[in-house]
Amino acid sequence: MMLPAPSASPGDPVAPVVLALAVMLVGAKLGGDLAERLGQPAVLGELVAGVVLGNLDLIGVPWFRAAATDHTLNVLARLGVVVLLFEVGLESTVGDMLKVGGRSLLVAVLGVVTPWALGWGVGALLLPRRSAYVHAFLGATLTATSVGITARVLRDLGRAQSPEARIILGAAVIDDVLGLVILAVVGGAITATDAGTGLSYAAVALILLKALLFLGGALALGVVLSPRLFALAARLRGRGLLLTTALVFCFVLAYLASVVGLAAIVGAYAAGLVLEDSHYGRLARDGERRLDELIRPIGILLVPVFFVLMGMRVELRSFAHPETVGLALLLTVAAVAGKQACALGGLGGSARLDRLSIGLGMIPRGEVGLIFANLGLSLTLHGERIVDAAAFTSVVIMVVLTTLITPPALKWSLGRREQRTGDAACADKVEHQRIKVAQLEEYLR
Amino acid sequence: MMLPAPSASPGDPVAPVVLALAVMLVGAKLGGDLAERLGQPAVLGELVAGVVLGNLDLIGVPWFRAAATDHTLNVLARLGVVVLLFEVGLESTVGDMLKVGGRSLLVAVLGVVTPWALGWGVGALLLPRRSAYVHAFLGATLTATSVGITARVLRDLGRAQSPEARIILGAAVIDDVLGLVILAVVGGAITATDAGTGLSYAAVALILLKALLFLGGALALGVVLSPRLFALAARLRGRGLLLTTALVFCFVLAYLASVVGLAAIVGAYAAGLVLEDSHYGRLARDGERRLDELIRPIGILLVPVFFVLMGMRVELRSFAHPETVGLALLLTVAAVAGKQACALGGLGGSARLDRLSIGLGMIPRGEVGLIFANLGLSLTLHGERIVDAAAFTSVVIMVVLTTLITPPALKWSLGRREQRTGDAACADKVEHQRIKVAQLEEYLR
């Protein structure tokens, strides 16, 4: 539609969004270029570009600080990470995941219990006058891994199909279930104690049951139903049916995941795991294109939006309060150290399993921690807020630091491993040069 | 990020959006399939699917009526039509447009003046007690063509590169400029009359100047600057640089268009016209993919969202008031008949120019008409509203009807032409069968 934006009308609502997208994409590519030149994954550059854009308000440009909390950009960014996890899921099968399932469960449990205990200890140490519930709650904010960053780093480095990647991604899915349960237990215990009633174990069990039913149902039924879905779609006339059917499948599972209380991206990842080339039948190719090739451009547009926006949400201002930063740093140490217990989950596996990378890959924390902290702001026990403003800011800083630490740490540990095993060493660099050579040949022709 | 949506938290904001997208995509494909089986362009089926979804509130399902006005879905839909016009623009060059420029200008002027006069007459006929300003304003709502529908139909039929298509698209761009000027003149005249002051011709001239400067600047400077932009981007490390650079170019021009008061999609179309394969230099191919192939999947996701959402905005309820429907039908007749004057703009051209299709392609009205009407709701003259609620609804119905009429009318007129000239007849059907054969061969292999 032709929508002019005369000064008398509210203007085209897409205009500020396309401007923000253009600036964020330019920032992402410049940041990614710089990061790659420094030997870091592109995603670190995208995060830092976001930090720079978001904090331009410090030099009098508040536009991006406002954009950082814009609802529509937020949804576009989340759509980006849904697409990213779907893409990563497409690279593995349900069978691949079941092979590492037991190990992922062990990694997830170790990686939830240890940081919870360490965070509890940090709370007891720095906030001795607060109740044990406060300490338990603070520990709980450290439990759930935010797998977007790790998934992206693994893909940047071409390692999304390694056993370590599958263990990490599987453990992150289980983390999400455990996070739900902990939130229900701790939140429920505080509310019950404050009201003087007992904790409802039935309510907690129901939450767990719903999440497990979703995961089991999505993976088991999905494998059976998805070939039929594509066979039905193949009967339709029209264009883009392969991509559309796959996206609908992904979106429906993402929605169902959120209905049972899981992250939407857990559903998107499950959808990616379920879909296999053999399911697509007559739709297997759209013209010359495979599904992964068709999805890639959507990711090129939306995925950087997520990482730049995450960076934009970092308020450098909040680093100015020493006591808050003290708690934040100790929480970060607990968060990082706690997840290294995950490496124990890799013990007894193949000698070639990169246990350090598993521990490092579990480091990033994200919105589960922020949601916990946010909930803590609204919970009270005997009239005292469970999480006060300073503790909340500390959790935010912990989320930022774990997010920024992971890309270089994981790149280093995977590189170290590659040098040692030697087999996949410098595959990334070779690929980079291969593309350049192909481009030059094309140019000279 | 792992974002669970426990009942205590506000939930993942992407969840309702992915659900809406999934339902809209399914509706689009089912509607498109049905339309194609009935020999109509897929876009008509998408519109009708939207009408069905949006009016489910009549049988007690209000969710889609609410979704129809959701800000985020609105932005995604508009992003879809930005991508669509960019894609259509990519299929032509600035040189192609200049060749038909004079003819487009003639078509645009005829197609603005005639419906304006006819609409004015309809107003004078049915609303004899209202002032001439009201009649002029009502006529003005009929002037601007909404080119999204036509662009889509032309593309569905593989005719986006025909001279008729270029004339229509060029005329629609000029329409948009003329619409701006008319809005400024009529709105300004009413405000000035009501306040007892004179109309500011300088302000009107400034609006026109800005729009012309943008179009001239985008096309002239764009052709010079875009190869340099791609040369700079080619120096960066990272992936997806061809697509990202092209999208940034499109988004920036779309934003600048809205800044000067034009529709964002006018900027996107101009960006598509400017970019040529020869500009991309070393970025000309990303792996094996050309730019148009890289953009297509983004369109597959977002373009149907626009057309389904447009359909969802139709409230069948408003067809229940006879006097409103009477005004609406006469306005629609004026709108359709008025644009047939455009066919005169095709006179004197090549004998093969399909003048009827040019007139039919200019029929769809869209949000410019709605914006005019909306502005009329807020303008008063001697305490009387320029556009009252009944007149507003009539304009909405006119927009809906012109939108629904165009796809079958254009399909028919282009088909008639193809049968007569015989050269491109059944190209679409052959292509459809070719894809099926390729899929079957792939399947049997």
Side-chain angles (χ1 to χ4, degrees):
Chain A
M1 290 196 172
M2 288 280 170
L3 177 75
S7 52
S9 90
D12 191 331
V14 86
V17 174
V18 290
L19 178 64
L21 287 178
V23 176
M24 288 166 86
L25 287 174
V26 169
K29 289 302 159 195
L30 292 179
D33 173 67
L34 193 64
E36 291 202 8
R37 282 180 203 274
L38 297 172
Q40 296 302 327
V43 64
L44 181 66
E46 297 182 6
L47 287 166
V48 173
V51 173
V52 171
L53 286 176
N55 286 280
L56 288 179
D57 60 337
L58 296 176
I59 57 163
V61 183
W63 197 80
F64 292 98
R65 170 65 52 224
T69 55
D70 179 77
H71 179 73
T72 301
L73 286 179
N74 185 23
V75 170
L76 283 172
R78 284 163 186 278
L79 212 48
V81 75
V82 161
V83 169
L84 173 64
L85 269 283
F86 183 50
E87 284 188 89
V88 170
L90 281 175
E91 295 181 18
S92 294
T93 68
V94 174
D96 293 337
M97 286 307 296
L98 290 180
K99 271 185 221 150
V100 298
R103 204 165 284 281
S104 283
L105 180 61
L106 185 58
V107 166
V109 171
L110 287 168
V112 161
V113 171
T114 327
W116 191 8
L118 288 178
W120 195 320
V122 168
L125 186 73
L126 291 194
L127 308 169
R129 293 192 200 161
R130 309 290 304 275
S131 84
Y133 282 118
V134 172
H135 308 149
F137 205 91
L138 219 46
T141 64
L142 303 186
T143 54
T145 295
S146 167
V147 82
I149 295 280
T150 299
R152 173 70 191 272
V153 173
L154 290 168
R155 234 190 25 161
D156 279 2
L157 303 179
R159 297 291 292 264
Q161 298 185 49
S162 64
E164 292 85 0
R166 289 194 195 114
I167 292 173
I168 293 171
L169 294 168
V173 168
I174 299 169
D175 254 22
D176 215 45
V177 178
L178 295 178
L180 264 181
V181 173
I182 291 175
L183 185 63
V185 172
V186 177
I190 291 171
T191 311
T193 307
D194 199 39
T197 61
L199 173 62
S200 164
Y201 290 100
V204 172
L206 184 66
I207 288 169
L208 182 62
L209 187 70
K210 280 202 296 186
L212 292 180
L213 268 181
F214 167 75
L215 285 177
L219 298 180
L221 279 180
V223 170
V224 178
L225 292 181
S226 73
R228 289 163 200 223
L229 178 69
F230 281 90
L232 277 177
R235 293 193 186 177
L236 296 179
R237 299 186 186 191
R239 289 166 189 178
L241 286 166
L242 171 61
L243 178 58
T244 303
T245 310
L247 287 174
V248 166
F249 188 72
C250 165
F251 290 164
V252 168
L253 284 196
Y255 176 71
L256 291 178
S258 84
V259 167
V260 301
L262 292 171
I265 59 174
V266 168
Y269 182 64
L273 285 180
V274 164
L275 294 190
E276 306 304 330
D277 285 345
S278 61
H279 296 186
Y280 311 144
R282 279 166 51 205
L283 287 180
R285 279 162 188 271
D286 177 9
E288 309 269 301
R289 306 284 162 260
R290 286 157 36 99
L291 180 57
D292 51 352
E293 294 174 332
L294 289 167
I295 292 204
R296 204 172 68 93
I298 300 175
I300 290 173
L301 168 61
L302 294 178
V303 173
V305 176
F306 177 74
F307 293 106
V308 173
L309 196 71
M310 274 190 59
M312 282 166 65
R313 296 217 175 130
V314 175
E315 292 199 46
L316 293 179
R317 234 184 273 275
S318 61
F319 287 77
H321 304 283
E323 62 282 13
T324 306
V325 172
L327 178 58
L329 289 181
L330 271 187
L331 281 180
T332 305
V333 170
V336 172
K339 287 289 182 187
Q340 298 326 298
C342 295
L344 296 175
L347 278 180
S350 132
R352 297 193 45 198
L353 209 55
D354 183 351
R355 289 186 287 272
L356 179 61
S357 292
I358 293 176
L360 295 176
M362 299 292 289
I363 289 177
R365 306 305 202 280
E367 299 206 335
V368 174
L370 297 181
I371 286 173
F372 272 41
N374 202 39
L375 189 69
L377 280 174
S378 62
L379 278 177
T380 54
L381 183 62
H382 311 313
E384 174 195 54
R385 271 203 299 182
I386 291 293
V387 169
D388 59 18
F392 183 80
T393 306
S394 299
V395 173
V396 174
I397 296 177
M398 177 278 294
V399 166
V400 171
L401 291 180
T402 55
T403 299
L404 290 173
I405 288 167
T406 306
L410 202 52
K411 161 104 182 177
W412 164 79
S413 84
L414 288 169
R416 176 195 59 99
R417 181 75 188 180
E418 276 185 355
Q419 281 184 347
R420 215 170 53 200
T421 62
D423 55 355
C426 80
D428 195 45
K429 287 176 191 166
V430 169
E431 175 62 14
H432 187 74
Q433 293 305 317
R434 200 194 58 75
I435 291 171
K436 296 249 157 174
V437 168
Q439 284 171 344
L440 279 171
E441 282 174 352
E442 184 64 39
Y443 186 65
L444 290 170
R445 209 177 296 157
Chain B
M1 289 195 172
M2 287 281 171
L3 177 73
S7 53
S9 91
D12 190 331
V14 88
V17 175
V18 290
L19 178 64
L21 289 178
V23 176
M24 291 165 86
L25 288 174
V26 169
K29 289 303 159 194
L30 292 179
D33 172 67
L34 192 64
E36 292 203 7
R37 281 178 204 274
L38 298 173
Q40 297 302 326
V43 64
L44 180 66
E46 297 182 8
L47 287 167
V48 173
V51 173
V52 172
L53 286 176
N55 287 281
L56 288 180
D57 60 338
L58 295 177
I59 57 162
V61 183
W63 196 80
F64 292 99
R65 172 64 51 226
T69 54
D70 180 76
H71 179 73
T72 301
L73 286 178
N74 185 23
V75 169
L76 282 172
R78 283 163 185 280
L79 212 48
V81 75
V82 161
V83 169
L84 173 64
L85 269 284
F86 184 49
E87 284 188 271
V88 171
L90 281 175
E91 295 181 17
S92 294
T93 68
V94 174
D96 293 334
M97 286 307 296
L98 290 180
K99 271 184 223 154
V100 296
R103 201 165 286 279
S104 283
L105 180 61
L106 186 59
V107 166
V109 171
L110 288 168
V112 161
V113 171
T114 327
W116 191 8
L118 288 179
W120 195 320
V122 168
L125 186 72
L126 292 194
L127 307 169
R129 295 191 197 160
R130 310 289 307 273
S131 85
Y133 281 118
V134 172
H135 308 150
F137 205 90
L138 219 45
T141 64
L142 303 185
T143 53
T145 295
S146 166
V147 82
I149 294 279
T150 300
R152 174 69 193 274
V153 174
L154 291 167
R155 235 192 22 162
D156 279 2
L157 303 179
R159 298 289 294 264
Q161 297 184 53
S162 63
E164 292 86 2
R166 287 191 197 116
I167 291 174
I168 293 170
L169 293 168
V173 168
I174 299 168
D175 253 23
D176 216 45
V177 178
L178 295 178
L180 263 180
V181 174
I182 292 175
L183 185 63
V185 172
V186 178
I190 291 172
T191 312
T193 308
D194 199 42
T197 62
L199 173 62
S200 163
Y201 291 99
V204 172
L206 184 66
I207 288 169
L208 184 60
L209 186 70
K210 280 202 296 186
L212 293 180
L213 269 182
F214 167 76
L215 284 177
L219 298 180
L221 279 180
V223 170
V224 177
L225 291 181
S226 72
R228 291 168 199 217
L229 178 68
F230 282 89
L232 277 176
R235 294 192 185 178
L236 295 179
R237 299 186 186 192
R239 289 165 189 180
L241 286 166
L242 171 60
L243 178 59
T244 303
T245 310
L247 287 174
V248 166
F249 187 72
C250 164
F251 291 164
V252 168
L253 284 197
Y255 176 72
L256 291 177
S258 83
V259 166
V260 301
L262 292 171
I265 61 174
V266 167
Y269 182 64
L273 285 180
V274 164
L275 293 190
E276 304 304 330
D277 285 346
S278 62
H279 295 185
Y280 311 145
R282 279 166 50 205
L283 287 181
R285 280 164 187 267
D286 176 8
E288 309 269 303
R289 306 282 163 261
R290 287 155 37 99
L291 180 57
D292 51 352
E293 294 174 332
L294 288 167
I295 291 201
R296 203 172 68 92
I298 300 176
I300 290 174
L301 169 61
L302 293 178
V303 173
V305 176
F306 177 74
F307 293 105
V308 173
L309 196 71
M310 274 189 59
M312 283 167 64
R313 294 213 176 133
V314 175
E315 293 199 44
L316 293 179
R317 233 185 274 275
S318 60
F319 286 77
H321 304 283
E323 63 281 13
T324 308
V325 172
L327 179 57
L329 289 181
L330 271 187
L331 281 181
T332 305
V333 170
V336 172
K339 286 292 180 186
Q340 298 325 300
C342 294
L344 296 175
L347 280 180
S350 135
R352 298 193 43 198
L353 209 53
D354 182 352
R355 290 186 284 273
L356 177 61
S357 292
I358 293 176
L360 295 177
M362 298 292 287
I363 288 177
R365 305 305 202 282
E367 299 209 334
V368 174
L370 297 181
I371 286 174
F372 272 41
N374 202 40
L375 189 69
L377 280 175
S378 62
L379 277 177
T380 54
L381 184 61
H382 311 314
E384 174 195 53
R385 271 201 300 183
I386 291 293
V387 170
D388 58 18
F392 183 81
T393 306
S394 299
V395 173
V396 173
I397 295 176
M398 177 278 293
V399 166
V400 171
L401 292 180
T402 55
T403 300
L404 290 173
I405 287 166
T406 306
L410 203 52
K411 161 103 184 181
W412 164 79
S413 84
L414 288 169
R416 176 194 60 97
R417 181 74 186 180
E418 276 186 354
Q419 281 184 345
R420 214 170 52 201
T421 60
D423 55 354
C426 79
D428 193 45
K429 287 176 192 164
V430 169
E431 175 63 13
H432 186 73
Q433 293 306 318
R434 201 195 59 73
I435 292 171
K436 295 250 157 171
V437 168
Q439 284 172 345
L440 278 171
E441 282 173 352
E442 185 64 41
Y443 185 67
L444 290 170
R445 212 177 292 153

